[in-house]
Amino acid sequence: MKNILLPTDFSENANNAISYALELFKKENCTFYLLNTYVPAIPHSRFMAENSKTLVLEKNTETASKNGLKKTIEYIKQKHSNPLHNYKTISSFDLLTHEVIDIIKNEHINFVISGTKGITNFKRVFIGANTMHIINAIKDCPVLAIPNHYNFGIPKQLVLATDLKRSLSLEALQALLFITKMCNCTVHILHLKTNTVLDDFQKSNLKIIQNCLASIPLKLHLLPFYANKSEIISSFIKDHTIDTLALVYNNRSYLEELIQEPVLENADYHTKIPLLVLPS
């Protein structure tokens, strides 16, 4: 049984991510936790501390959250009916990251699946603020971010882009192995070389990954680092028909560098496919 957390703001992108999750785990016994958090904008005034208008605003926001979750469940049962799937809803007056961390711990969550953008959905943003806050806050649970309008297809070609400078955690290796075996997909390990040869620590990390993924098709690509990482990864994804990009999150991760680099019109292909962020 897998426990999957689905944060939602009821946007089109969030609904698309939910549909993706339900299709991806279609053949697995799962409990899906649908989470909506709300923090009403309280009027700031020295004359309005805790009056009736504030209480009404809070109540209306709570009602909207619960109604939104109810409608989402109704839609799921109508369009994605599956006897292997159970659903629980959580409406919480709290910050999103606080609630996500608590649910992961208390409900033993295996994956968090979210949209990449949310309501704002700015085209030039690599990952929306809420999704980025979740990724930054979570230390021990994989996050799968789904782009808006991405049509579901079983992943067949996944690339793990890594500098091999940090060992993958047991949780990261298990999550990666589960996804790849479930989908029967090929994994490409992509390393952008800053030196001519790998050092001993990088060789050791590579060996660990190869041993863990020994039961699935695996391809190694060592490419020279000649431009920004965003451009190289985007070109690789296009050339190899990659449908999922996996990155390991740490303080100096590829993910952080990708976000800091300017996303050019001709080099943003990686923003158009699902992004799997593995815990470091």
Side-chain angles (χ1 to χ4, degrees):
M1 172 72 76
K2 292 295 179 184
N3 296 321
I4 316 295
L5 177 59
L6 304 174
T8 179
D9 57 6
F10 311 126
S11 65
E12 181 183 5
N13 190 205
N15 292 336
N16 188 57
I18 290 171
S19 293
Y20 184 98
L22 298 175
E23 290 296 325
L24 182 64
F25 289 90
K26 191 174 185 177
K27 297 181 181 179
E28 302 293 325
N29 285 295
C30 296
T31 296
F32 292 94
Y33 293 80
L34 279 79
L35 167 67
N36 176 257
T37 60
Y38 58 95
V39 181
I42 306 300
H44 294 284
S45 170
R46 57 181 176 175
F47 302 111
M48 298 178 64
E50 190 66 37
N51 59 21
S52 58
K53 289 185 179 180
T54 300
L55 293 174
V56 168
L57 181 60
E58 288 183 10
K59 188 63 179 176
N60 288 345
T61 311
E62 177 186 6
T63 300
S65 174
K66 291 181 177 179
N67 286 342
L69 288 170
K70 182 180 178 181
K71 289 178 182 178
T72 303
I73 290 294
E74 290 172 354
Y75 173 81
I76 288 173
K77 290 183 177 180
Q78 181 182 4
K79 298 292 185 179
H80 300 276
S81 179
N82 190 331
L84 296 177
H85 293 171
N86 298 308
Y87 309 98
K88 296 184 179 181
T89 60
I90 303 170
S91 176
S92 175
F93 180 84
D94 199 356
L95 295 176
L96 176 63
T97 52
H98 292 173
E99 193 66 24
V100 166
I101 291 171
D102 287 344
I103 294 171
I104 288 174
K105 180 180 178 181
N106 296 332
E107 305 298 341
H108 308 290
I109 298 298
N110 301 107
F111 290 92
V112 177
I113 301 180
S114 173
T116 54
K117 300 293 174 65
I119 290 173
T120 53
N121 199 23
F122 292 122
K123 292 182 179 179
R124 300 292 302 209
V125 177
F126 178 49
I127 292 179
N130 281 343
T131 305
M132 198 62 237
H133 289 157
I134 290 173
I135 291 170
N136 282 329
I138 297 173
K139 305 302 179 186
D140 54 2
C141 185
V143 178
L144 183 59
I146 311 301
N148 202 13
H149 304 303
Y150 185 84
N151 294 321
F152 175 79
I154 296 175
K156 291 301 179 185
Q157 302 289 333
L158 179 148
V159 60
L160 171 63
T162 173
D163 57 13
L164 296 172
K165 291 181 179 179
R166 291 182 181 233
S167 301
L168 269 72
S169 66
L170 179 61
E171 291 83 3
L173 290 170
Q174 288 178 338
L176 185 59
L177 183 60
F178 178 82
I179 289 288
T180 52
K181 289 188 75 171
M182 179 178 67
C183 300
N184 191 29
C185 64
T186 297
V187 173
H188 300 260
I189 300 175
L190 174 61
H191 173 68
L192 305 182
K193 298 189 296 181
T194 52
N195 296 315
T196 331
V197 295
L198 300 179
D199 60 34
D200 291 341
F201 189 72
Q202 289 175 311
K203 289 178 182 177
S204 174
N205 285 338
L206 178 58
K207 193 67 176 178
I208 291 171
I209 296 172
Q210 290 174 321
N211 288 341
C212 175
L213 303 179
S215 60
I216 60 173
L218 196 62
K219 295 182 180 181
L220 175 63
H221 306 266
L222 303 177
L223 301 182
F225 176 41
Y226 55 85
N228 69 45
K229 291 181 175 66
S230 178
E231 290 182 1
I232 299 175
I233 293 175
S234 293
S235 296
F236 183 90
I237 287 171
K238 276 183 111 171
D239 294 343
H240 293 81
T241 322
I242 301 297
D243 43 37
T244 302
L245 168 62
L247 300 169
V248 181
Y249 182 79
N250 55 56
N251 291 334
R252 296 182 180 275
S253 67
Y254 274 22
L255 175 61
E256 192 173 64
E257 293 185 44
L258 281 171
I259 292 169
Q260 290 173 351
E261 287 178 356
V263 179
L264 306 176
E265 288 294 337
N266 61 349
D268 67 344
Y269 199 80
H270 56 277
T271 68
K272 299 175 183 176
I273 63 173
L275 171 66
L276 175 63
V277 182
L278 300 167
S280 58

